[in-house]
Amino acid sequence: MKILQVNELVKKQLRESGISKLMKSLESCEWVVLEEIDNRIVGVAGIGGLFHVSGIQIIPEFQGKGIGKKLQSTVIEESKRRGYSFITMFNDPRNKPSANLH
């Protein structure tokens, strides 16, 4: 896993991986956690905004393999390290995998 400040290079990587098409808001995060398999971005979680909103997206063929749980744990630990007092998330209750993760 990599923890990266979001800049133009990271945004380009997110776009080229195709994950930005699944969740465009990742590009507006302050920082992200990337999970790569064979140099391919397969999952991203990030934090951004005044209310430290968390977002997680996994490439469909890699969902259900524990990547989301690893990303979420890393986001929480990095948020603690950065001194955040809270993080928030929004979830569509129809998105069962996300509801189960959170």
Side-chain angles (χ1 to χ4, degrees):
M1 288 212 184
K2 295 180 187 175
I3 299 170
L4 303 170
Q5 288 299 120
V6 174
N7 57 30
E8 290 306 313
L9 178 60
V10 172
K11 289 178 186 180
K12 182 179 179 200
Q13 292 171 331
L14 294 172
R15 290 175 190 141
E16 289 175 352
S17 73
I19 207 153
S20 281
K21 288 183 181 178
L22 299 171
M23 183 181 274
K24 180 78 171 170
S25 63
L26 291 168
E27 293 183 26
S28 64
C29 290
E30 295 168 30
W31 53 272
V32 293
V33 179
L34 298 178
E35 176 68 273
E36 296 178 303
I37 296 176
D38 298 327
N39 293 319
R40 178 183 177 202
I41 297 173
V42 298
V44 180
I47 296 280
L50 179 63
F51 296 104
H52 310 299
V53 177
S54 170
I56 297 176
Q57 183 63 53
I58 312 298
I59 298 291
E61 69 236 48
F62 291 92
Q63 292 176 1
K65 300 181 184 308
I67 293 171
K69 186 178 266 189
K70 286 173 38 181
L71 288 167
Q72 184 180 49
S73 294
T74 304
V75 162
I76 291 168
E77 289 307 310
E78 182 65 12
S79 295
K80 288 178 185 177
R81 190 187 74 71
R82 291 175 183 241
Y84 290 16
S85 58
F86 66 92
I87 58 176
T88 58
M89 58 80 58
F90 299 98
N91 186 58
D92 179 344
R94 297 170 294 185
N95 183 339
K96 296 296 182 198
S98 182
N100 290 338
L101 174 66
H102 294 93

